[in-house]
Amino acid sequence: MHIHKLEKIWLTFGITMLVAFLVILGISTFAFGLEPPSHSHTIDPEKVRETAPFDNPGLRMVGDGEYEAVMTAYAFGYDSGDHPLTVPAGSTVEFVVTTPDVVHGFQIPGTNVNMMIVPGEVSHIKHMFNEPGEYLILCNEYCGGGHEFMHTTIVVE
Ligand code: CUA
């Protein structure tokens, strides 16, 4: 009888711990779910230029003071369409970036924008530009002979 009681206590303890573990796991999964990872989906790296939205790169307004900048990183530059990237101060810009060739970087010094751009992986990052100025966007992953020259700019007016 005594042993059975002990076993029951341990069983109850074990189940309680298991439930607590699952709850914690659930909460952390939910918490991570709220913050989407920078790599949200993948596309065929051979078909970047035929795949939306990279078939039409550039800046578009998606809301009040909110923009999306679709860009293709390549050796050795960034394709952001025909128009320069210019937004009013106070705008939030979501950069949506991929590459058809090799791993590149996407960094805006002085901000928290810093992504690794992997062929076929679509990377996203949002940033609010409060201070007017010309912001450098540069590659910080060695990608070949032209790596040091790989950069572009976004202008905040
Ligand atoms: Cu692209 Cu370094």
Side-chain angles (χ1 to χ4, degrees):
M1 277 315 263
H2 222 78
I3 288 161
H4 280 160
K5 200 179 174 189
L6 254 177
E7 273 182 353
K8 213 173 165 184
I9 290 167
W10 274 110
L11 196 65
T12 310
F13 178 74
I15 289 169
T16 309
M17 289 307 283
L18 184 69
V19 168
F21 174 74
L22 289 174
V23 166
I24 290 164
L25 193 73
I27 289 168
S28 46
T29 307
F30 178 68
F32 281 118
L34 291 178
E35 184 117 346
S38 64
H39 298 134
S40 68
H41 70 283
T42 56
I43 60 170
D44 184 348
E46 308 272 309
K47 295 193 174 117
V48 167
R49 284 183 173 87
E50 293 111 273
T51 307
F54 302 99
D55 55 345
N56 183 22
L59 188 72
R60 50 197 136 258
M61 201 175 197
V62 292
D64 193 18
E66 291 190 33
Y67 294 83
E68 183 180 70
V70 174
M71 299 170 74
T72 303
Y74 62 92
F76 300 99
Y78 296 93
D79 182 2
S80 57
D82 300 329
H83 303 286
L85 298 176
T86 305
V87 295
S91 300
T92 299
V93 182
E94 179 173 19
F95 296 94
V96 181
V97 191
T98 193
T99 176
D101 47 40
V102 296
V103 173
H104 295 282
F106 189 98
Q107 186 184 10
I108 305 180
T111 73
N112 61 355
V113 176
N114 191 356
M115 299 192 286
M116 187 189 268
I117 311 301
V118 177
E121 282 191 16
V122 181
S123 298
H124 301 249
I125 197 163
K126 264 189 192 175
H127 184 70
M128 187 190 259
F129 292 92
N130 289 316
E131 292 292 314
E134 188 173 350
Y135 292 76
L136 190 64
I137 299 173
L138 55 83
C139 180
N140 58 4
E141 294 282 336
Y142 182 76
C143 54
H147 162 71
E148 283 144 70
F149 309 106
M150 181 167 168
H151 72 278
T152 187
T153 55
I154 178 165
V155 174
V156 179
E157 291 178 328

